[in-house]
Amino acid sequence: MQRALRIQPNLCTSCMQCELACSFEKEGVFNPAKSRIKIFEFEPEAYTVPYTCTQCAEAWCMHACPVDAITKNLETGAMEVADDVCIGCKVCTIACPFGTVNYNEDTGKVIKCDLCGGDPQCADACPTGAITYVDANWPGYEQRRQLDRLLAGTQMGETADDRPSA
């Protein structure tokens, strides 16, 4: 059974516990800048949304990588970056329509969510249940993907007239 992160923005309080848990799990430091999940503020202190890699079925980051450093983990469904293969060219960061593949200046490699090997720490750390790890077949999963696409369009400067209707 494939699982996925379920994000419910209405429950997010912008406490940043997800970012801290992620950065500690992946980098050994409590530093939101090193997190693979980010809190996006639409209005300062008004509306926030946690966002991270959606583990796309047709992962543009994976297809764009010239050295095949990004592969799908068949057990978790996560698109994972092999540090020993990644050359740090950043092509995948450009290919990702959601902006969730980032470059790590310290290592010269790219970083992205890998679902913590099937035990995502962001979900464990979220005190409000805004981030949960659920069966990928839950009824709202496709709505989340649609929301992700909408948010990506908003971040890229699209207007409501530019977006496809639901």
Side-chain angles (χ1 to χ4, degrees):
M1 167 182 66
Q2 292 288 304
R3 300 187 74 194
L5 288 175
R6 176 182 183 197
I7 296 177
Q8 299 178 84
N10 59 315
L11 298 178
C12 181
T13 62
S14 195
C15 71
M16 299 176 62
Q17 292 301 306
C18 57
E19 290 183 353
L20 293 172
C22 177
S23 67
F24 187 73
E25 174 70 18
K26 294 302 183 182
E27 303 293 328
V29 295
F30 292 109
N31 182 346
K34 295 182 183 263
S35 176
R36 277 96 167 130
I37 189 165
K38 303 291 182 192
I39 302 296
F40 181 78
E41 274 189 299
F42 282 95
E43 293 290 328
E45 300 180 24
Y47 189 70
T48 57
V49 176
Y51 72 98
T52 190
C53 178
T54 62
Q55 312 300 343
C56 304
E58 292 297 321
W60 294 5
C61 62
M62 181 174 70
H63 295 301
C65 182
V67 295
D68 298 324
I70 301 175
T71 57
K72 183 174 185 171
N73 179 319
L74 298 178
E75 185 176 319
T76 65
M79 303 302 160
E80 298 177 347
V81 178
D83 285 342
D84 59 332
V85 179
C86 177
I87 59 173
C89 69
K90 305 182 212 170
V91 172
C92 57
T93 67
I94 297 165
C96 177
F98 305 112
T100 59
V101 181
N102 297 291
Y103 183 73
N104 184 334
E105 297 270 341
D106 296 338
T107 64
K109 310 287 181 172
V110 296
I111 57 174
K112 62 177 287 313
C113 176
D114 63 4
L115 299 174
C116 294
D119 185 21
Q121 296 303 294
C122 58
D124 289 346
C126 183
T128 63
I131 306 167
T132 52
Y133 194 49
V134 299
D135 177 351
N137 294 322
W138 65 277
Y141 187 64
E142 187 53 38
Q143 285 96 351
R144 174 181 173 232
R145 287 199 180 272
Q146 290 173 0
L147 175 62
D148 290 337
R149 286 189 288 273
L150 176 68
L151 292 175
T154 301
Q155 292 173 8
M156 290 186 275
E158 289 182 358
T159 65
D161 296 333
D162 297 331
R163 290 185 213 112
S165 59

